[in-house]
Amino acid sequence: MTTIDIEAARAILRANDRGGYTVPTDRLYPFQWNWDSAFVAMGWATFDKERAWRELERLVEGQWDDGMVPHIVFHAPSDDYFPGPDVWRTRHAIPTSGITQPPVFATALRRVFEIARGPDAQARAARLYRCALASHDWWETARDPERTGLVAILHPWESGMDNSPAWDEAMARLTLQPTTPIRRRDTSHIGAEMRPKDEDYRRFIALVDLYASYGWEPAAMWRVSPFRLVDVATNAILHKADEDLLVLAEQFGTEAERSRIAARMARRAAAFASLWNQDRRIYQALDLGTGSTVDASTSAGLLPLFAGIPSAGQAAALADELEAWLARAPYPVPSTSPLDPRFEPKRYWRGPIWAVVNFMIAEGFERYGHAALASRIHQATQALMRDGGIAEYFDPTSGEGLGGSRFSWTAAISLMIDQAAVAGPGRDKM
Ligand code: GLC
C-alpha cells in the first residue's frame, strides 16, 4: 500500500476546523457542507473521536423541523462564497441553504459509533439516530411523494455532482431566469476552466429563486419543479445509509421503525432495476420530466455496488465497463466516462476523480468479491494524493491535483484508507 503522510492529512482537518465543524477548504467553501462533513467525521474518527461526534452534532444544528438536513449550514458569515444566506432566504435559526445533499450521515454515524465508543457514546448515538431517521423519512415524503421507491433531486446541487453531464438535458430545457444578480466568487479562487460554466450558474440560481418564491415548502417545490431527476448516486447512498440505519435501529429504534426502514429498502431495491442500462453496462439517471433514462455514463452509475444493489452478473459488467474507461484514462475513477464525448478531464464533475466517490466504489467492488479491483482503486487514490497533493479533485488522464487544495474530505479518505490498511484484511466493512 502506498504510504501517504498521515500527519499532513490530520493537519488539514485541524486547520479547516472552525470549532466543531470542518470547512471543505479555506476561502472557497467557508461553511459546513452536508456530505463533506459525513466523510470528514469518519476521517476524524481515525484519530480524534470526540471531534468525530462533534462534526455530526454540529451538522444537525442545521436540520429543519421537517427532517431535511440542508446541504450548507452557514454557521458564521463569510463574503467568500456565493450564494450566501441572503440568496437562499430560508427560515431556520442558524441560516442554511434550502436543499439537501447525498445522505451519507447514517453511514458515518454507524462508523463513528463503532469506532468511537466511550462513556457517552450510547446517548450521543441515540440522539443522532433520531436525526438520521427523520432525515430518511423526509427523503421519502418530500422527494418520493408517489412512493415509487426511488427519490428524486430537485436541484443539481442536491446530487453533490453539480455539473454532471447527467443533468445537461434537463438543465438545457430550463427557461427560467434568475431574479438574483449572479456574483460568482468561486472563479476568483480557482481557474474558470476547472469550474462549472456561467450558464450553469445562471440555471442553478434560477432554481434557487423559484423555490425561495415558494418558501421552500417541499410539496410546492415538487409540484412546480422543472428539474426532477432520479439520481443514481443519491439513491445508492440512501440505500446504504438505510442499511446502516437499520443496524442502529436494532439498538436505538422501535419495531415499527425497523419495519418502515426495511419496507422502503425492499421497494427501492426492486425499483433500481429500472435504472440499469444493459447496453451501457451501467446504472443511469431517470428524468421524471421526460420519463426516460438519461444516456450519460458517470461514476454515479457504479455506486449501487456500495449499497449491494446489483446482481453478481451486473457487478461483473460494471467491472468490465470500468476497465474500458481505464483503457482511455489511466487513473481511476473518472467522474464521467472517457468514452463519452462530454468528458472533460479538468472540469469538476465532467471527468475529474473525486476521492470520496473512489472510496465508495472500491468498498462496493470489495463487497462483491472484486478484491483486486477494490484495492487497486484504494491504492490509486492514495498515490494521487501523494503525488498530486490532498486536492479537491484530480485529472484522470495525468493524475494532476486540481481545484481547491488542502481539502478536508480528500484528507479524510486518505486517513480511512490508511486505517483499513493497518487493520488488514478481515476488518469490519462500512
Ligand atoms: C462542490 C461539490 C460538492 C461539495 C462542495 C463542498 O459544490 O460539487 O459535492 O459538497 O463542493 O466541497
Side-chain angles (χ1 to χ4, degrees):
M1 181 65 71
T2 312
T3 52
I4 58 134
D5 186 346
I6 289 304
E7 265 321 306
R10 291 179 178 179
I12 288 175
L13 295 193
R14 290 195 191 101
N16 290 338
D17 184 359
R18 296 289 178 273
Y21 70 95
T22 312
V23 297
T25 188
D26 197 30
R27 305 288 309 273
L28 182 63
Y29 300 111
F31 311 108
Q32 187 174 22
W33 260 258
N34 177 333
W35 73 325
D36 294 62
S37 266
F39 288 107
V40 163
M42 296 190 265
W44 278 114
T46 65
F47 70 104
D48 184 341
K49 300 182 180 15
E50 170 58 26
R51 198 45 196 76
W53 284 113
R54 287 303 293 149
E55 190 74 33
L56 298 175
E57 289 165 352
R58 295 237 50 192
L59 182 64
V60 298
E61 287 174 15
Q63 186 167 28
W64 288 17
D65 288 346
D66 67 2
M68 183 183 77
V69 181
H71 98 295
I72 307 175
V73 184
F74 299 105
H75 289 289
S78 168
D79 286 337
D80 278 323
Y81 183 81
F82 174 88
D86 52 322
V87 179
W88 289 96
R89 291 158 279 171
T90 58
R91 283 190 295 262
H92 195 69
I94 301 177
T96 71
S97 69
I99 56 172
T100 190
Q101 252 187 342
V104 184
F105 184 87
T107 297
L109 174 58
R110 177 180 172 193
R111 193 167 169 113
V112 169
F113 179 61
E114 283 171 358
I115 299 177
R117 294 193 180 270
D120 53 358
Q122 291 284 336
R124 291 175 112 167
R127 187 186 148 242
L128 292 174
Y129 161 78
R130 294 269 138 229
C131 299
L133 179 67
S135 138
H136 290 208
D137 288 346
W138 172 87
W139 270 107
E140 190 170 22
T141 48
R143 295 293 196 263
D144 182 21
E146 284 143 37
R147 298 295 190 278
T148 64
L150 295 169
V151 296
I153 55 167
L154 301 186
H155 194 295
W157 285 339
E158 289 200 309
S159 70
M161 304 185 180
D162 313 3
N163 64 338
S164 163
W167 320 139
D168 283 4
E169 289 163 28
M171 287 302 262
R173 287 199 309 267
L174 280 194
T175 51
L176 281 175
Q177 295 301 323
T179 50
T180 299
I182 299 193
R183 298 203 179 86
R184 289 183 70 170
R185 302 301 319 271
D186 56 324
T187 41
S188 62
H189 304 297
I190 300 290
E193 74 288 357
M194 291 187 251
R195 299 285 310 175
K197 298 181 175 167
D198 283 345
E199 186 59 12
D200 300 324
Y201 258 78
R202 214 179 48 72
R203 294 178 171 134
F204 292 154
I205 301 302
L207 286 173
V208 169
D209 287 335
L210 172 71
Y211 302 142
S213 75
Y214 284 89
W216 301 101
E217 203 278 302
M221 288 168 69
W222 183 268
R223 204 175 55 245
V224 302
S225 181
F227 182 93
R228 280 184 292 159
L229 267 290
V230 176
D231 171 32
V232 178
T234 301
N235 280 284
I237 289 169
L238 182 57
H239 200 69
K240 169 71 176 133
D242 260 336
E243 185 178 272
D244 294 323
L245 191 67
L246 196 51
V247 171
L248 292 165
E250 278 156 27
Q251 253 186 81
F252 303 113
T254 63
E255 185 56 47
E257 288 162 6
R258 288 191 285 276
S259 6
R260 186 157 89 235
I261 300 165
R264 71 176 161 235
M265 286 183 72
R267 271 201 303 279
R268 190 183 306 115
F272 250 102
S274 64
L275 306 182
W276 176 252
N277 183 331
Q278 183 61 36
D279 297 334
R280 298 286 190 209
R281 301 188 297 191
I282 201 160
Y283 291 89
Q284 295 185 325
L286 172 67
D287 186 337
L288 296 182
T290 60
S292 329
T293 49
V294 181
D295 189 9
S297 294
T298 69
S299 57
L302 300 168
L303 284 176
L305 291 161
F306 180 55
I309 295 286
S311 65
Q314 286 169 322
L318 289 165
D320 289 345
E321 179 61 18
L322 177 57
E323 293 291 357
W325 295 9
L326 299 181
R328 289 282 186 97
Y331 296 89
V333 173
S335 46
T336 294
S337 164
L339 305 159
D340 188 303
R342 292 160 289 192
F343 172 72
E344 292 181 76
K346 292 193 192 315
R347 199 183 290 282
Y348 221 45
W349 291 96
R350 304 179 76 84
I353 300 160
W354 295 73
V356 292
V357 178
N358 277 16
F359 185 86
M360 293 186 284
I361 291 173
E363 293 285 305
F365 277 122
E366 183 140 3
R367 186 172 180 154
Y368 281 84
H370 292 260
L373 184 52
S375 126
R376 193 168 131 209
I377 297 170
H378 278 322
Q379 289 206 37
T381 309
Q382 294 294 53
L384 284 164
M385 291 187 231
R386 187 198 54 209
D387 300 336
I390 301 187
E392 187 176 9
Y393 42 94
F394 301 86
D395 181 330
T397 61
S398 67
E400 184 192 354
L402 301 170
S405 59
R406 298 177 60 74
F407 221 86
S408 297
W409 68 1
T410 315
I413 294 299
S414 77
L415 294 171
M416 290 163 75
I417 299 175
D418 178 72
Q419 188 177 62
V422 172
R427 72 201 152 89
D428 286 337
K429 294 293 173 319
M430 280 182 69

